[in-house]
Amino acid sequence: MMRIILAVALVIALAMSAGAYDVLYSNDTAATHYAGDFGIDVSFLYFMGNSYYDADGESVDFGADIDYTATWFPINIYYGVMDGFEIGVAPIFKMDKLTHPDPDGELAATGIGDTWIWAKYAFMPDPMVTARMGFKLATGEDDPDAEELPLGTGQMDIDGALLFGVPVGPGSFDAALGYRYRLAQTSDDIDYKPGSEFHFFAGYTHFLGDAMNLRLGADGYFGSDDETDIGDGNGFQTDDETAENAVYINPGFDYVMANGVVLGFDMHYPLMGANIIADWGLGLSVGWGN
């Protein structure tokens, strides 16, 4: 039983690049704000899972009485530097838990995860095309105690993407395609470099009048194998069958209140993957901006 628990904890530790909700890609669009605009979006996300996708993409159950749950509070703060150009920061507060029957009952972690800072520039109005750059800071604990789960990956990422938006019928179609370069980290004189990833998002928003929107989107990523340098003079060596892949479907609903506050509901469900937890979840969000 302990071997199974450690294996599941390892999957959680390694598969933290994005998860069922990606701060940069999930439901983001090519739209930008005007100069001087300031806003904040706060989400409540709850995820659960009792299986994972192995290296071959097959779903594997954790086993009896083993469950993974996570409660996340992503916060996205933005400011319009000029028309069509904005910057932002996106920290995330996490409460993760892996319950099991042997012997202490659970592995858990509570605190700040890794933080993204980003910038978007809209350089084409029709169809709308926007460039976005993101830098992930390793603010989450990546070397926890034995009874705890990690909150971060311990290394920085650099993400570059193009976002597209075009009106379609009574709504809009949005898409994004990007590449995430994941830098190496050093632990106990061993350099570890997680595989870099291609990310995508595509979704359609149907406008139900001026106050309500229905959304259906999908996002995910396809990564390369990890690499490790153990200091033997041979440089980085590929760790076969460690590449992470995932595709999620994300239906949602938005309601715009009279005071400009936006209330949102989302669902995040995995369609396929490799070396990730097969977790699914629900989300509520509140957004405000001028």
mmCIF file of all heavy atoms in Angstrom, residues 272-288:
data_model
loop_
_atom_site.group_PDB
_atom_site.id
_atom_site.type_symbol
_atom_site.label_atom_id
_atom_site.label_comp_id
_atom_site.label_asym_id
_atom_site.label_seq_id
_atom_site.Cartn_x
_atom_site.Cartn_y
_atom_site.Cartn_z
ATOM 1 N N MET A 272 -8.139 13.106 -22.181
ATOM 2 C CA MET A 272 -7.021 12.194 -22.399
ATOM 3 C C MET A 272 -5.790 12.777 -21.722
ATOM 4 O O MET A 272 -5.780 13.945 -21.304
ATOM 5 C CB MET A 272 -6.735 12.025 -23.903
ATOM 6 C CG MET A 272 -6.476 13.324 -24.643
ATOM 7 S SD MET A 272 -5.902 13.113 -26.340
ATOM 8 C CE MET A 272 -4.206 12.608 -26.041
ATOM 9 N N GLY A 273 -4.743 11.952 -21.596
ATOM 10 C CA GLY A 273 -3.519 12.456 -20.996
ATOM 11 C C GLY A 273 -2.472 11.382 -20.850
ATOM 12 O O GLY A 273 -2.692 10.207 -21.163
ATOM 13 N N ALA A 274 -1.306 11.795 -20.363
ATOM 14 C CA ALA A 274 -0.198 10.885 -20.057
ATOM 15 C C ALA A 274 0.620 11.491 -18.927
ATOM 16 O O ALA A 274 0.941 12.682 -18.950
ATOM 17 C CB ALA A 274 0.685 10.650 -21.285
ATOM 18 N N ASN A 275 0.912 10.677 -17.916
ATOM 19 C CA ASN A 275 1.706 11.101 -16.752
ATOM 20 C C ASN A 275 1.087 12.273 -16.007
ATOM 21 O O ASN A 275 1.795 13.161 -15.503
ATOM 22 C CB ASN A 275 3.134 11.442 -17.182
ATOM 23 C CG ASN A 275 3.909 10.232 -17.644
ATOM 24 O OD1 ASN A 275 3.842 9.164 -17.028
ATOM 25 N ND2 ASN A 275 4.637 10.378 -18.745
ATOM 26 N N ILE A 276 -0.253 12.298 -15.930
ATOM 27 C CA ILE A 276 -0.950 13.332 -15.174
ATOM 28 C C ILE A 276 -2.057 12.682 -14.354
ATOM 29 O O ILE A 276 -2.471 11.554 -14.618
ATOM 30 C CB ILE A 276 -1.582 14.404 -16.089
ATOM 31 C CG1 ILE A 276 -2.651 13.768 -16.985
ATOM 32 C CG2 ILE A 276 -0.525 15.123 -16.893
ATOM 33 C CD1 ILE A 276 -3.568 14.780 -17.626
ATOM 34 N N ILE A 277 -2.533 13.408 -13.354
ATOM 35 C CA ILE A 277 -3.699 12.962 -12.605
ATOM 36 C C ILE A 277 -4.939 13.166 -13.456
ATOM 37 O O ILE A 277 -5.098 14.201 -14.108
ATOM 38 C CB ILE A 277 -3.816 13.760 -11.294
ATOM 39 C CG1 ILE A 277 -2.557 13.571 -10.451
ATOM 40 C CG2 ILE A 277 -5.046 13.331 -10.507
ATOM 41 C CD1 ILE A 277 -2.520 14.459 -9.240
ATOM 42 N N ALA A 278 -5.839 12.195 -13.464
ATOM 43 C CA ALA A 278 -7.089 12.317 -14.207
ATOM 44 C C ALA A 278 -8.119 13.016 -13.321
ATOM 45 O O ALA A 278 -9.173 12.471 -12.998
ATOM 46 C CB ALA A 278 -7.587 10.946 -14.634
ATOM 47 N N ASP A 279 -7.786 14.246 -12.909
ATOM 48 C CA ASP A 279 -8.676 14.971 -12.009
ATOM 49 C C ASP A 279 -9.657 15.828 -12.799
ATOM 50 O O ASP A 279 -9.364 16.314 -13.874
ATOM 51 C CB ASP A 279 -7.878 15.849 -11.042
ATOM 52 C CG ASP A 279 -6.957 16.824 -11.742
ATOM 53 O OD1 ASP A 279 -6.616 16.589 -12.917
ATOM 54 O OD2 ASP A 279 -6.574 17.834 -11.121
ATOM 55 N N TRP A 280 -10.847 15.969 -12.257
ATOM 56 C CA TRP A 280 -11.845 16.849 -12.857
ATOM 57 C C TRP A 280 -12.366 17.770 -11.760
ATOM 58 O O TRP A 280 -12.233 17.481 -10.563
ATOM 59 C CB TRP A 280 -12.983 16.038 -13.475
ATOM 60 C CG TRP A 280 -13.845 15.307 -12.482
ATOM 61 C CD1 TRP A 280 -13.596 14.093 -11.918
ATOM 62 C CD2 TRP A 280 -15.076 15.760 -11.936
ATOM 63 N NE1 TRP A 280 -14.605 13.756 -11.057
ATOM 64 C CE2 TRP A 280 -15.536 14.757 -11.046
ATOM 65 C CE3 TRP A 280 -15.854 16.917 -12.117
ATOM 66 C CZ2 TRP A 280 -16.727 14.877 -10.326
ATOM 67 C CZ3 TRP A 280 -17.039 17.035 -11.403
ATOM 68 C CH2 TRP A 280 -17.459 16.023 -10.527
ATOM 69 N N GLY A 281 -12.907 18.902 -12.172
ATOM 70 C CA GLY A 281 -13.295 19.850 -11.149
ATOM 71 C C GLY A 281 -14.330 20.858 -11.611
ATOM 72 O O GLY A 281 -14.720 20.924 -12.778
ATOM 73 N N LEU A 282 -14.775 21.653 -10.623
ATOM 74 C CA LEU A 282 -15.744 22.712 -10.836
ATOM 75 C C LEU A 282 -15.137 24.019 -10.351
ATOM 76 O O LEU A 282 -14.300 24.037 -9.435
ATOM 77 C CB LEU A 282 -17.028 22.426 -10.049
ATOM 78 C CG LEU A 282 -17.732 21.106 -10.350
ATOM 79 C CD1 LEU A 282 -18.888 20.897 -9.374
ATOM 80 C CD2 LEU A 282 -18.239 21.081 -11.792
ATOM 81 N N GLY A 283 -15.566 25.111 -10.984
ATOM 82 C CA GLY A 283 -15.007 26.400 -10.619
ATOM 83 C C GLY A 283 -16.054 27.497 -10.584
ATOM 84 O O GLY A 283 -16.992 27.520 -11.375
ATOM 85 N N LEU A 284 -15.901 28.418 -9.627
ATOM 86 C CA LEU A 284 -16.698 29.628 -9.555
ATOM 87 C C LEU A 284 -15.742 30.810 -9.581
ATOM 88 O O LEU A 284 -14.650 30.773 -9.002
ATOM 89 C CB LEU A 284 -17.517 29.667 -8.260
ATOM 90 C CG LEU A 284 -18.559 28.553 -8.065
ATOM 91 C CD1 LEU A 284 -19.165 28.650 -6.657
ATOM 92 C CD2 LEU A 284 -19.641 28.655 -9.116
ATOM 93 N N SER A 285 -16.110 31.874 -10.267
ATOM 94 C CA SER A 285 -15.228 33.034 -10.370
ATOM 95 C C SER A 285 -16.007 34.323 -10.201
ATOM 96 O O SER A 285 -17.197 34.408 -10.522
ATOM 97 C CB SER A 285 -14.484 33.041 -11.717
ATOM 98 O OG SER A 285 -15.397 33.156 -12.781
ATOM 99 N N VAL A 286 -15.309 35.340 -9.694
ATOM 100 C CA VAL A 286 -15.858 36.684 -9.570
ATOM 101 C C VAL A 286 -14.825 37.636 -10.164
ATOM 102 O O VAL A 286 -13.639 37.612 -9.792
ATOM 103 C CB VAL A 286 -16.126 37.065 -8.108
ATOM 104 C CG1 VAL A 286 -16.639 38.494 -7.998
ATOM 105 C CG2 VAL A 286 -17.121 36.105 -7.476
ATOM 106 N N GLY A 287 -15.252 38.460 -11.115
ATOM 107 C CA GLY A 287 -14.335 39.392 -11.748
ATOM 108 C C GLY A 287 -14.860 40.814 -11.672
ATOM 109 O O GLY A 287 -16.067 41.065 -11.787
ATOM 110 N N TRP A 288 -13.946 41.739 -11.474
ATOM 111 C CA TRP A 288 -14.300 43.152 -11.435
ATOM 112 C C TRP A 288 -13.225 43.965 -12.152
ATOM 113 O O TRP A 288 -12.042 43.648 -12.065
ATOM 114 C CB TRP A 288 -14.419 43.665 -10.007
ATOM 115 C CG TRP A 288 -14.559 45.168 -9.935
ATOM 116 C CD1 TRP A 288 -15.694 45.899 -9.999
ATOM 117 C CD2 TRP A 288 -13.492 46.113 -9.797
ATOM 118 N NE1 TRP A 288 -15.413 47.243 -9.920
ATOM 119 C CE2 TRP A 288 -14.060 47.395 -9.800
ATOM 120 C CE3 TRP A 288 -12.099 45.990 -9.693
ATOM 121 C CZ2 TRP A 288 -13.298 48.563 -9.691
ATOM 122 C CZ3 TRP A 288 -11.338 47.142 -9.590
ATOM 123 C CH2 TRP A 288 -11.942 48.406 -9.579
#
